[in-house]
Amino acid sequence: MNGLTGTLGLARLILRRDRFLLPLWILLVPLVVMASIGGFQELLPTEAARLTYYEGTAKSPAIIGMLGPVYGADLGALVAQRSGFMFIVVSLISLLTVIRHTRTEEEAGRRELLGATVVGRNAPLFAALLVTFAANVVLGLLTGLGLQGGGGLAAGGSFAFGLALAACGWVFAAVGAVAAQLAQSAGAARGIGLAVLGLAFALRLAGDTAGEDGATGWLSWLSPIGWGQHIRAFADERWWLLAPSLAAVVLLVAAAVPLTARRDLGAGILPPRPGPADAAPYLRGPLGLAWRLHRALVIGWGAGFVVLGLMYGSAADAVEQALKGNAELQEMLARLGGSDRFSDAFIAAIVSVMALAASGYAIQAALRMRAEEAALRSEPVLAGSVSRVGWAAGHLVFAVAGPAFALALGGLTAGVVYGAASGDVGGAVPRVLGAALVQLPAVAVLGALATLLFGLVPRFAAAAWAVFGACVLLGQVGALLRLDERILDLSPFTHVPQVPAEEVTLAPLAWLTGIAAAFILGGLAGLRRRDIPVT
């Protein structure tokens, strides 16, 4: 039997299973990129204003470190820089998609069932790669068409940026393929992949902030993200830089295939670390067990939010310095409400991005209950003296407190960095930290929704991610698309006061908190009454 037998059939199965999630992120990325066009056209309507922004804010080391280099003052080049974070988004989604359809399937035992049929050993891996590669190509083409047709930008730059995103997604899909062979569990595979993605971002950041002529400028050329951004969309495109990405894909896939043959089904190349002979005393209760399962998430997300705070705090100061040093920009912003108001709006914008990330953490932590149930690990725990509600409550502590901790860390770090740079730590910290913490009720609603789905319809608990994607879409491009206010109000983040640009109003926060509590109580009630496990 050919090692690739059944690849197309498995690819169709993946498309069937991801029929909602796959179109969501394929459409979401181009829409978010297109939203940047409208933002720049409104804020910087003239060439002179764009040149002022380019010379000040866009060329700031803090902005370059956060988003990437900028290669011109025209609208296309500024949009390409503003959308630089999409390289991280596309890479992350591609990485997780491949791991989900390879190592996660194997860990759940479904790969063994497929292997008993007429399916080649390499078919699951190549099916996952085929679907992810095709999705990235469609995403890249839609991005190019959107920038050219919807934004009226140059065709060459539009498709160069779209294909650069797709190429970066291909590289990290291949990274996911290798990680799935190295690790024995899906969590460990994701950890390896995220470490590679973090290293790629760090290399890109270190290289770009130093500049091409700087001592560490060459580091950016070691990063797949750097390759994508150095294509220079809308600035004498370097099409040849697609070649390193394609070469990396070939090498990584060529490494993944023999690794698949060298390991047993269900095992990984890297042996798992043996645990202690005796369990720690804190594991005697459901809260201690939940801490053991969630501690890597708490540490990882906390560290990630510290990095976000460092970048956003530096960016806030860079914006403020650009305002102080550019009379034309100050005059333009005065017509829009004043520089102080713009600074407040910028802080509100960065904490809203943090809140979206924290809601992703909340969903992930809440769905850990579903993962434990599907892997048949919850049943032995519940067979003892632990109640269903007590078991779930242990996980919910981290689904609620974990995002709050991460968001507080991000807000505190951003406030300290911004305050230290501006010379007003005492004023900046409560201002930014308060803006971050006021987002918590909206974050809790999404985590609570995942809990509700888990308790009532566990097979569809992953639909919480679709709701998350819809919230991102409404927040990023809802106003640009001039959607009806009733549609925008479907997102809980629409109702959060944009502190410090707005005054705090308690009514919407109380309503959001009440909705989150009702969702959690409904999920726990459903969990008490349904069968366990539902696989």
Side-chain angles (χ1 to χ4, degrees):
M1 181 174 61
N2 190 307
L4 297 179
T5 301
T7 299
L8 293 180
L10 290 178
R12 288 194 295 270
L13 176 61
I14 292 173
L15 290 173
R16 174 71 174 78
R17 294 183 61 194
D18 284 3
R19 62 189 181 278
F20 298 117
L21 289 177
L22 204 61
L24 181 65
W25 65 268
I26 288 176
L27 294 173
L28 181 63
V29 171
L31 285 173
V32 172
V33 173
M34 289 174 60
S36 301
I37 300 175
F40 276 114
Q41 288 175 333
E42 180 179 354
L43 183 62
L44 307 172
T46 66
E47 291 185 7
R50 288 194 284 270
L51 181 61
T52 301
Y53 174 84
Y54 166 74
E55 293 291 345
T57 302
K59 295 180 74 172
S60 162
I63 298 296
I64 290 175
M66 183 171 63
L67 299 176
V70 61
Y71 296 107
D74 62 288
L75 181 60
L78 296 179
V79 168
Q81 186 200 37
R82 172 65 178 80
S83 304
F85 71 99
M86 279 300 166
F87 285 93
I88 300 289
V89 173
V90 172
S91 301
L92 179 62
I93 294 174
S94 301
L95 170 75
L96 297 180
T97 299
V98 171
I99 292 175
R100 175 172 177 257
H101 290 291
T102 52
R103 174 53 65 181
T104 301
E105 293 294 289
E106 196 168 329
E107 188 177 13
R110 291 185 287 268
R111 170 69 178 85
E112 188 174 7
L113 294 176
L114 290 173
T117 63
V118 186
V119 173
R121 184 176 183 89
N122 296 321
L125 174 62
F126 277 85
L129 288 173
L130 178 63
V131 171
T132 309
F133 286 169
N136 276 288
V137 170
V138 174
L139 179 151
L141 293 177
L142 288 178
T143 301
L145 289 171
L147 290 174
Q148 182 193 13
L153 301 181
S158 299
F159 285 99
F161 184 78
L163 292 179
L165 285 178
C168 198
W170 275 39
V171 171
F172 281 94
V175 169
V178 174
Q181 313 312 313
L182 295 176
Q184 184 169 338
S185 68
R190 286 190 289 267
I192 293 172
L194 290 174
V196 175
L197 178 58
L199 177 62
F201 176 78
L203 290 172
R204 201 278 310 157
L205 185 149
D208 289 341
T209 51
E212 292 186 354
D213 298 329
T216 60
W218 58 274
L219 290 175
S220 184
W221 292 93
L222 301 179
S223 168
I225 301 173
W227 302 337
Q229 294 187 326
H230 286 310
I231 283 180
R232 293 183 179 232
F234 304 102
D236 297 326
E237 292 80 12
R238 299 171 171 177
W239 293 96
W240 61 270
L241 275 175
L242 293 172
S245 296
L246 297 179
V249 170
V250 171
L251 292 174
L252 289 167
V253 174
V257 172
L259 291 177
T260 304
R262 288 182 55 189
R263 65 180 181 84
D264 293 332
L265 186 65
I269 297 296
L270 301 177
R273 186 180 64 181
D278 299 317
Y282 69 83
L283 290 174
R284 294 173 181 171
L287 183 60
L289 176 61
W291 162 247
R292 176 63 180 82
L293 296 174
H294 286 266
R295 65 183 182 186
L297 282 179
V298 173
I299 296 171
W301 279 94
F305 270 76
V306 169
V307 173
L308 276 180
L310 289 170
M311 292 191 302
Y312 285 148
S314 300
D317 179 66
V319 169
E320 188 167 291
Q321 294 305 317
L323 295 177
K324 292 179 179 178
N326 291 276
E328 293 182 7
L329 191 56
Q330 284 185 343
E331 181 181 353
M332 178 188 64
L333 291 172
R335 296 195 300 269
L336 297 176
S339 59
D340 290 339
R341 185 174 179 181
F342 180 78
S343 178
D344 289 344
F346 184 80
I347 292 173
I350 63 176
V351 297
S352 67
V353 174
M354 288 186 183
L356 285 170
S359 63
Y361 175 17
I363 292 173
Q364 184 183 11
L367 291 184
R368 184 57 192 255
M369 293 184 287
R370 176 58 184 158
E372 292 297 298
E373 180 183 17
L376 304 180
R377 292 190 289 266
S378 62
E379 193 173 12
V381 175
L382 297 175
S385 60
V386 177
S387 68
R388 296 185 181 193
V389 172
W391 171 76
H395 289 278
L396 289 175
V397 167
F398 295 96
V400 174
F405 170 72
L407 199 55
L409 270 182
L412 180 62
T413 305
V416 170
V417 172
Y418 175 44
S422 61
D424 184 21
V425 176
V429 169
R431 187 176 167 207
V432 180
L433 181 59
L437 293 180
V438 81
Q439 302 281 338
L440 285 176
V443 172
V445 167
L446 290 189
L449 176 63
T451 304
L452 179 67
L453 293 173
F454 166 70
L456 298 180
V457 282
R459 288 191 178 92
F460 298 98
W465 288 113
V467 177
F468 169 76
C471 290
V472 175
L473 179 63
L474 291 174
Q476 295 293 321
V477 299
L480 174 68
L481 299 177
R482 301 185 183 278
L483 297 178
D484 189 271
E485 187 175 347
R486 289 171 295 183
I487 297 177
L488 295 177
D489 285 343
L490 294 175
S491 171
F493 297 96
T494 304
H495 304 279
V496 176
Q498 299 300 299
V499 178
E502 299 177 2
E503 294 292 331
V504 176
T505 50
L506 296 180
L509 300 180
W511 275 105
L512 291 173
T513 302
I515 291 171
F519 282 173
I520 289 176
L521 292 176
L524 293 177
L527 179 64
R528 290 184 62 189
R529 289 172 172 80
R530 68 172 175 83
D531 292 336
I532 291 181
V534 175
T535 58

